[in-house]
Amino acid sequence: MAPVAAVTRWRLLLVLSAAGLGAVGAPKPPNILLLLMDDMGWGDLGVYGEPSRETPNLDQMAAEGMLFPNFYSANPLCSPSRAALLTGRLPIRSGFYTTNGHARNAYTPQEIVGGVPDEEHLLPELLKGAGYASKIVGKWHLGHRPQFHPLKHGFDEWFGSPNCHFGPYDNRARPNIPVYRDWEMVGRYYEEFPINLKTGEANLTQVYLQEALDFMKRQQAAQRPFFLYWAIDATHAPVYASRPFLGTSRRGRYGDAVREIDDSVGKILRLLRDLRITENTFVFFTSDNGAALISAPKQGGSNGPFLCGKQTTFEGGMREPAIAWWPGKIPAGQVSHQLGSVMDLFTTSLSLAGLAPPSDRVIDGLDLLPAMLWGQLTDRPIFYYRGNTLMAVTLGQYKAHFWTWTNSWEEFRQGVDFCPGQNVSGVTTHTQEEHTKLPLIFHLGRDPGEKYPLSFASPEYLDALRGVTLVVRQHQKTLVPGQPQLNVCNQAVMNWAPPGCEKLGKCLTPPESIPEKCSWPH
């Protein structure tokens, strides 16, 4: 049976089964677990070459499943990347960018009043069509205000926070970040959920683990397919770990956090075995963006051989660790050279559920099932956006940079360095350098560190340029950006302003303070 025909038949049987119309023995929709780490780098796992070899469970997961060495986030920062995963669309399409500055990164701190638009269809909402129960555990990061709540966008359950564990704050000018169970605020970071910044001790990963295990047990008991989005943040600075893991890593506190995550993933997979549902459960492990080298080495990870890290569109900022695991379905011990993206998890999950992606909008994610089940590779570009600016594109093994920039000279002189120890002349620039007429092109197979651009006059450069130019023209010709959600007090999101907040409906640069009544209710 041809791969495409097999996938079509698979979808049909799953749809019939979900509707109760399938023949006896027809496959039931598999459970789906997406394990999304925060600021974890490509080089943080033993299977990717980390020399301490402190991730035995994730390494075993890779040995039993499939490794993707060429897997990418959709943005070098957390909120846009997470929006892309759950919508299957580039962040610029859903409005997860800012126009406050050219090539400016943005996310959803307390000062931002935007979030995921109502017209976007998120993965848990669509999976309801196949009977799935869904839960998010951990970091949401797609908006603070009530209309952006995860349960308003398809999730049945939530335990976690609208933001990262920043703080502590004084609870006067700014409150500590709240933690929710579904609609109820059950505490705040640094208060009911303590984090000791001095020692790094926090029990959050254990809490998040138990939430995941309990959810899986309940859904299996109910014989209902489930979708678990486990979006924990222990590897985001300030990194933390529970007491049994503190001081156990050769890599310091960051390594302690990684070891606890690895142990937790091992317990999740062990429960699937104990419940005897491994062959009906698809698990995918990855990260939202590259390691934050600005926090390294004590509070940040490793991007392996790649250039720079989080916040940049060099490989270290957007190439991620990625492991697919589905015993009995995905052949064990395989490496796929498919160019993959977090957006593919949206389309692949729908395919697993027997559902087609929405047809009324552009979906950027690919279905990875042909690559995972039969080794069938699909040619596709990877677009690297920073804000609403297309910075680079990879096609095959060639990556073309249209803009280069790390961060400003002002920030750099203050000690903010996105590429410590990795200066590449003319590439890791501190001014925004335009290369749209003659892009800098690298062969990532020979030069994964992006140190040696191809000669402009070489036949190889000209051939690569022709292919890249065609892809970019096609992309930009049909691109319709969504209304920006990450501007400070952007008018596009002020339609929902509470009384007394209407005057905030303007773009402010630099950010000004926002009254507490105009942000997420606490």
Side-chain angles (χ1 to χ4, degrees), residues 305-307 315 319 397 399 424 427 441-454:
F306 303 117
L307 185 62
E315 290 296 285
R319 199 186 293 214
Q397 296 206 69
K399 181 177 181 181
V424 179
V427 178
I441 299 181
F442 299 86
H443 187 286
L444 294 178
R446 298 192 302 262
D447 179 23
E450 298 170 277
K451 297 177 181 177
Y452 309 103
L454 301 180

Side-chain angles (χ1 to χ4, degrees), residues 12-14 16-18 21-29:
L12 178 60
L13 288 172
L14 285 173
L16 292 175
S17 176
L21 302 175
V24 175
K28 294 180 181 179

Side-chain angles (χ1 to χ4, degrees), residues 138-160:
K139 179 175 169 180
W140 170 237
H141 230 201
L142 299 186
H144 292 257
R145 307 187 70 215
Q147 66 269 27
F148 306 131
H149 193 288
L151 272 60
K152 286 259 190 174
H153 291 273
F155 282 102
D156 297 307
E157 300 180 23
W158 178 31
F159 183 87

Side-chain angles (χ1 to χ4, degrees), residues 235-273:
T235 45
H236 187 298
V239 298
Y240 60 78
S242 62
R243 185 172 298 175
F245 292 91
L246 285 175
T248 64
S249 171
R250 291 177 177 271
R251 303 179 65 194
R253 191 178 298 176
Y254 181 88
D256 295 341
V258 172
R259 291 199 67 186
E260 185 167 16
I261 288 171
D262 177 78
D263 181 78
S264 298
V265 171
K267 289 175 179 173
I268 288 172
L269 301 185
R270 191 173 308 123
L271 176 62
L272 295 176
R273 293 188 180 97

Side-chain angles (χ1 to χ4, degrees), residues 462-495:
L462 298 174
D463 286 344
L465 180 61
R466 278 190 285 269
V468 165
T469 300
L470 178 61
V471 164
V472 171
R473 283 177 180 169
Q474 291 174 339
H475 170 65
Q476 294 181 329
K477 183 178 179 180
T478 59
L479 179 65
V480 179
Q483 289 198 347
Q485 298 295 311
L486 304 185
N487 285 353
V488 176
C489 300
N490 177 17
Q491 288 179 333
V493 297
M494 287 310 295
N495 294 332

